[in-house]
């Protein structure tokens, strides 16, 4: 499989290289040159497979030529073997024909484990073969950091540096990162905000001299392997609900558009998906596009759903590429317009094409809490606030009551106690058994000034299993 850039000016890469690449050299994002397509018979024959075996069938075409089948099978069995629920991604029914796909049974209790547990193992496999070591740098406001550290903690060939804003992530989220101890794991608390952390990662990618030749790898959601891993659970859910003979609709709590883009790919690979709902919080750039063809940068509002607090959605460029007939130069032009003016609209027929599949809703904090309370009262299920936004949007945007509506349950409620309290649900969710002693574990973290040179010196001094590069 070959991968091409959405801006059309970077060399095509194979899977192995795309795994190690961040942005393409032309500033675009990598996408498969040709998407595999499965027949209905083929998809139907996968019903009842264990999750890792379904994962093998769905993802195999993407890694062909880079990873032999037997090795890939083993990696997938190891990856999904760490999930706490034997079904890996169980479905729970909320209402007539309404379901939550629980994606929070991985080590860090959010859906990001599906991709980052795999990414860590793939990186280590490829790097061992090449006899190479890499450094990962990432910024997190919460979920990504812990999932990336959990995914990479066992990697022999990776040193991972995760920056979070000092005193600005919840205690559960901080401890999920800082209690994972290892020579190759480095938590940095920056005396600044999330944007400061992200800027330092960007600046480090732009100028890598401080790494003395060691390769820098990205684990944010632009990494193709993360999208690839998320395609699988759309097939998994549909197969449980009568697919592919029957179509299914999905409502997806959305920030950077990575998770829902995977659903769009599943549909293009042959899975009958009748509707995809973009569920956002008050940071609603995608809702403004879907409802009014305006993709314009707004202000950033802090909400009760911090994992969806974004101003621009990096993966949206991948959808735009398809909407523009996969014409790289027109995407490059749109992105230039966006950079210069802060917004754009697309031609009418392209927007109409998107709207055949996508609907959207922006949900306020108040509505989020209402939904948590409502669902709890009606079913006894406690939703995390991100999932609650998905449920709300699924209910309001639903096109058909006879098509199963699957809401992606993106996180466990225990990660977001503030929203649960505000919902006046009189219940404090308990940590699952494997995290029960989280508050007693030792923490390791270095507080650094909000200064690029300081951070880069730290990375250079510790980037080789804690020793200098
Ligand atoms: C990351 C995250 C999201 C947003 O996913 P995107 O792929 O960025 O759209 C939603 N909910 C939770 C809990 C998350 O951690």
């Amino acid at each position: 499989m070959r991968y091409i850039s959405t801006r059309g000016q970077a060399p095509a890469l194979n899977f192995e290289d795309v795994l190690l690449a961040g942005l393409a050299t032309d500033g675009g994002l990598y996408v498969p040159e040709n998407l595999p397509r499965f027949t209905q018979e083929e998809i139907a024959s996968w019903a009842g497979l264990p999750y890792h075996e379904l994962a093998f069938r769905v993802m195999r075409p993407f890694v062909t030529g880079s990873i032999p089948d037997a090795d890939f099978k083993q990696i997938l069995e190891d990856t999904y073997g760490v999930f706490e629920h034997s079904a890996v991604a169980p479905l729970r029914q909320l209402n007539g024909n309404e379901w939550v796909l629980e994606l929070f049974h991985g080590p860090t209790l959010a859906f990001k484990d599906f991709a980052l547990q795999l990414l860590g193992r793939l990186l280590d496999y490829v790097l061992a073969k090449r006899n190479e070591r890499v450094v990962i740098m990432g910024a997190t406001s919460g979920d990504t950091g812990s999932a990336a550290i959990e995914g990479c903690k066992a990697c022999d060939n990776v040193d991972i540096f995760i920056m979070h804003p000092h005193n600005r992530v919840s205690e559960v989220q901080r401890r999920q990162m800082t209690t994972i101890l290892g020579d190759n794991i480095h938590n940095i608390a920056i005396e600044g905000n999330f944007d400061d952390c992200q800027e330092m990662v960007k600046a480090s990618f732009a100028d890598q001299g401080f790494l003395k030749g060691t390769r820098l790898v990205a684990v944010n959601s632009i990494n193709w392997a993360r999208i690839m891993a998320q395609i699988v659970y759309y097939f998994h859910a549909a197969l449980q609900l009568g697919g592919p003979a029957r179509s299914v609709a999905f409502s997806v709590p959305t920030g950077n558009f990575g998770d829902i883009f995977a659903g769009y790919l599943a549909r293009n690979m042959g899975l009958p998906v009748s509707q995809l709902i973009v569920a956002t919080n008050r940071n609603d750039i995608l809702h403004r596009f879907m409802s009014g063809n305006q993709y314009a940068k707004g202000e950033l509002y802090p909400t009760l759903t911090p994992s969806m607090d974004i101003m621009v959605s990096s993966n949206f460029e991948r959808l735009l590429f398809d909407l523009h007939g996969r014409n790289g130069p027109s995407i490059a032009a749109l992105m230039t317009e966006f950079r210069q003016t802060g917004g754009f609209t697309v031609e009418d027929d392209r927007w109409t094409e998107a709207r055949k599949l996508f609907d959207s809703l922006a949900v306020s904090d108040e509505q989020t809490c209402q939904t948590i309370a409502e669902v709890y009262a009606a079913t006894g299920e406690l939703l995390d606030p991100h999932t609650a936004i998905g449920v709300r949007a699924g209910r309001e945007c639903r096109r058909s009551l006879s098509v199963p509506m699957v809401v992606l349950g993106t996180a466990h409620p225990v990660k977001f106690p503030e929203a649960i309290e505000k919902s006046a649900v009189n219940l404090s969710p308990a940590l699952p058994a494997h995290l029960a002693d989280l508050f007693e574990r030792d923490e390791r973290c270095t507080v650094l000034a909000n200064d690029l040179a300081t951070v880069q010196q730290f990375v250079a001094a510790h980037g080789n299993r804690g020793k200098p590069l």
Side-chain angles (χ1 to χ4, degrees), residues 17 71 77 119 133 139 187 197 208 236 260 273 312 322 331 341 356 374 403 411 431 442:
D17 289 322
D71 294 351
E77 196 175 338
L119 182 65
R133 296 186 54 81
N187 278 286
C197 300
Q208 303 185 12
H236 174 77
I260 195 165
V273 174
V312 297
D322 281 4
I331 298 305
T341 68
K356 285 185 188 159
E374 246 169 61
V403 172
L431 283 163
D442 288 339

Side-chain angles (χ1 to χ4, degrees), residues 310-465:
I310 47 97
M311 279 195 293
V312 297
S313 284
S314 39
N315 282 295
F316 188 56
E317 180 169 340
R318 289 182 157 122
L319 178 68
L320 287 169
F321 183 58
D322 281 4
L323 290 177
H324 288 79
R326 310 201 106 201
N327 181 317
S330 43
I331 298 305
L334 265 189
M335 290 302 152
T336 303
E337 183 182 343
F338 186 69
R339 203 175 54 243
Q340 288 169 351
T341 68
F344 60 74
T345 61
V346 302
E347 288 154 42
D348 242 3
D349 52 344
R350 303 191 197 285
W351 181 78
T352 310
E353 187 58 34
R355 287 304 312 273
K356 285 185 188 159
L357 181 64
F358 289 97
D359 288 295
S360 68
L361 187 71
V363 178
S364 68
D365 276 354
E366 198 187 350
Q367 292 168 324
T368 303
C369 292
Q370 258 171 19
T371 307
I372 293 173
E374 246 169 61
V375 169
Y376 183 67
T379 67
E381 291 298 326
L382 189 59
L383 302 178
D384 109 281
H386 304 79
T387 308
I389 286 180
V391 168
R392 180 82 174 210
R395 289 180 178 177
E396 292 199 18
C397 301
R398 190 160 188 175
R399 292 181 191 172
S400 162
L401 290 174
S402 62
V403 172
M405 173 60 67
V406 178
V407 178
L408 267 51
T410 51
H412 191 291
V414 77
K415 292 191 91 165
F416 301 98
E418 190 192 347
I420 306 298
E421 265 162 46
K422 289 210 165 123
S423 309
V425 172
N426 203 1
L427 188 82
S428 327
L431 283 163
H434 71 282
L435 288 170
D437 63 344
L438 186 67
F439 287 89
E440 281 94 63
R441 294 183 192 170
D442 288 339
E443 289 189 80
R444 209 180 74 192
C445 180
T446 307
V447 181
L448 292 181
N450 182 10
D451 173 59
L452 182 62
T454 305
V455 169
Q456 292 186 340
Q457 274 159 22
F458 183 84
V459 173
H462 299 89
N464 184 9
R465 291 205 87 83

Side-chain angles (χ1 to χ4, degrees), residues 75-255:
I75 290 171
L76 291 171
E77 196 175 338
D78 295 346
T79 299
Y80 296 108
V82 304
F83 281 63
E84 292 289 324
H85 197 294
S86 57
V88 182
L91 277 168
R92 197 179 283 269
Q93 188 160 16
L94 285 189
N95 211 332
N97 240 355
E98 183 188 51
W99 310 77
V100 171
L101 180 65
E102 295 186 350
L103 300 174
F104 47 77
H105 296 287
T108 72
L109 313 179
F111 83 88
K112 292 186 170 70
D113 288 327
F114 278 81
L116 286 161
Q117 284 293 316
L118 179 61
L119 182 65
R121 286 173 174 81
L122 288 172
L123 278 176
D124 222 32
Y125 175 87
V126 164
L127 293 170
K129 205 167 69 176
R130 293 179 170 218
N131 195 17
E132 194 183 325
R133 296 186 54 81
V134 300
V135 161
I136 287 175
M137 281 178 80
T140 189
S141 53
D143 290 343
T144 304
S146 55
I149 290 172
E150 273 286 350
C152 295
K153 71 179 180 187
C155 294
D156 291 329
N157 303 299
V158 175
D159 271 79
I160 181 165
F161 294 81
I162 296 291
M163 291 182 258
H164 69 264
H166 188 38
N167 290 334
R168 295 195 202 188
V169 298
S170 78
E171 186 168 7
V172 172
Q173 288 185 320
R174 187 192 74 237
R175 284 183 164 272
Q176 281 190 307
M177 298 190 278
T178 57
T179 59
I180 303 172
L181 309 178
D183 293 346
N184 62 332
I185 295 167
H186 314 277
N187 278 286
I188 304 176
I190 296 289
E191 292 174 320
N193 60 30
F194 171 66
D195 284 328
D196 298 326
C197 300
Q198 202 160 33
E199 278 310 310
M200 288 201 249
V201 174
K202 272 193 202 155
S204 300
F205 271 94
D207 184 0
Q208 303 185 12
F210 71 103
L211 292 168
K212 303 179 183 139
T214 303
R215 189 200 289 264
L216 189 59
V217 168
V219 290
N220 55 6
S221 69
I222 61 159
N223 188 304
W224 162 256
R226 283 187 59 180
I227 307 277
M228 173 184 84
Q230 292 167 194
I231 298 170
V232 177
Y233 46 69
Y234 288 89
F235 280 88
H236 174 77
L239 282 163
Q240 310 283 314
L241 295 171
R246 195 178 183 206
S247 14
V248 177
F250 291 92
S251 177
V252 186
T254 296

Side-chain angles (χ1 to χ4, degrees), residues 257-295:
F257 205 74
D259 210 5
I260 195 165
F261 185 71
Y264 162 83
L265 293 178
R267 195 212 47 162
N268 290 354
M269 290 162 72
L271 188 71
V273 174
S274 61
Q275 184 187 14
L276 287 171
I277 301 171
V278 179
T280 77
N281 62 24
R282 189 178 174 198
N283 297 296
D284 63 349
I285 182 167
L286 289 166
H287 172 59
R288 281 180 282 128
F289 177 80
M290 291 297 173
S291 57
N293 192 3
Q294 275 289 333
Y295 192 78

